[in-house]
Amino acid sequence: MVVESYVVVHNIAKRHNVGTLARSASAFGVSELILVGRRDFNSFGSHGSTSHLRFRHFHSLLDARHFLKERDCDICGVEITDGAMAVNHHPFKKSTAFLLGNEGTGLSAKECEICDFFVYIPQYGGGTASLNVTVAASIVLHHFGVWAGFPERTRDGNKFIVAEKPEKQGKRNYCAETADAIIEERRSRRENASNGFFDESENGNSSSNLLDALFDDVKM
């Protein structure tokens, strides 16, 4: 049985956290980073790791859930909830997609509804109530990689060897191509904007411009 891991990005308020999430996802063998809602993000903090990840976009959590279930994949919410299991106990059974909560409010009710189970990260010091979302993702993804038996990457000196950069994904992977998709894209943007997701930067550049810059050297 081939075991894979995924990261679902939906309600991350701080755009630069998505780039750092991508870096952790690349380091710990994640197969795909799934964007739900708006398809654009800030690659700050990724250190080029976005070139080594596959991205997939869905307009809704239910669409993302349907895709993952077609692949016989569990959806794991990373949240301190009643019934959540300690991640260091490795309560995994098969391929798993990890859904992390918003930095301030945690997982929403809608996000919890699509989860099959929950894990939390035990803490042993009393100085903070929770971890940064990118730190939490790194810990959880590392534990899953250990459980799944992912092979350790070869090292060269005091660093791991980075794979050759694959062919970059084109903008077409993020742009709506049909009339229905365009309508759904605009509806999703309005909904997410009203919730304060992926707010625009102070200099007037939207996060979609940041995504375009990430792939600006791709010949269409």
Side-chain angles (χ1 to χ4, degrees), residues 159-175:
K159 291 184 180 293
F160 290 94
I161 296 176
V162 177
E164 290 187 13
K165 187 173 293 187
E167 182 178 351
K168 288 187 177 181
Q169 302 178 60
K171 297 176 188 177
R172 62 183 179 275
N173 294 332
Y174 291 83
C175 295

Side-chain angles (χ1 to χ4, degrees), residues 10-11 61 79 101-102 105-113 118:
H10 175 235
N11 188 7
L61 286 168
E79 186 64 280
N102 176 273
T105 59
L107 290 175
S108 68
K110 286 185 178 180
E111 290 169 331
C112 288
E113 286 177 3
F118 298 87

Side-chain angles (χ1 to χ4, degrees), residues 12-218:
I12 304 298
K14 298 178 181 178
R15 289 179 296 142
H16 65 270
N17 277 340
V18 180
T20 310
L21 276 172
R23 185 178 184 182
S24 295
S26 177
F28 298 122
V30 167
S31 296
E32 291 189 3
L33 198 152
I34 296 173
L35 303 176
V36 180
R38 290 185 66 165
R39 64 186 68 218
D40 40 17
F41 64 95
N42 189 333
S43 63
F44 178 81
S46 69
H47 285 252
S49 58
T50 51
S51 299
H52 298 273
L53 276 176
R54 297 200 307 268
F55 289 83
R56 193 178 297 270
H57 172 263
F58 295 99
H59 291 291
S60 71
L61 286 168
L62 290 179
D63 289 341
R65 184 182 189 279
H66 179 71
F67 165 79
L68 292 166
K69 288 305 174 182
E70 282 187 332
R71 283 151 181 77
D72 192 29
C73 185
D74 277 340
I75 301 175
C76 174
V78 181
E79 186 64 280
I80 304 172
T81 63
D82 293 339
M85 296 170 279
V87 70
N88 53 303
H89 292 170
H90 295 173
F92 312 115
K93 299 178 181 178
K94 54 185 177 181
S95 294
T96 303
F98 294 96
L99 178 58
L100 294 103
N102 176 273
E103 295 91 335
T105 59
L107 290 175
S108 68
K110 286 185 178 180
E111 290 169 331
C112 288
E113 286 177 3
I114 73 165
C115 294
D116 298 300
F117 68 102
F118 298 87
V119 296
Y120 74 95
I121 301 167
Q123 293 185 188
Y124 309 105
T128 184
S130 62
L131 296 172
N132 172 276
V133 64
T134 59
V135 174
S138 296
I139 294 172
V140 170
L141 293 173
H142 178 267
H143 275 288
F144 184 83
V146 171
W147 171 83
F150 290 164
E152 183 177 323
R153 188 75 185 169
T154 304
R155 289 172 289 175
D156 181 12
N158 61 355
K159 291 184 180 293
F160 290 94
I161 296 176
V162 177
E164 290 187 13
K165 187 173 293 187
E167 182 178 351
K168 288 187 177 181
Q169 302 178 60
K171 297 176 188 177
R172 62 183 179 275
N173 294 332
Y174 291 83
C175 295
E177 295 180 347
T178 67
D180 289 342
I182 292 172
I183 293 171
E184 180 63 19
E185 171 80 1
R186 290 173 178 171
R187 184 204 62 77
S188 179
R189 283 178 178 271
R190 287 195 298 269
E191 178 183 344
N192 285 312
S194 67
N195 291 327
F197 304 159
F198 299 94
D199 55 338
E200 305 301 335
S201 60
E202 294 180 358
N203 62 7
N205 291 327
S206 70
S207 48
S208 60
N209 290 335
L210 292 168
L211 184 66
D212 289 345
L214 179 63
F215 300 115
D216 60 2
D217 59 348
V218 179

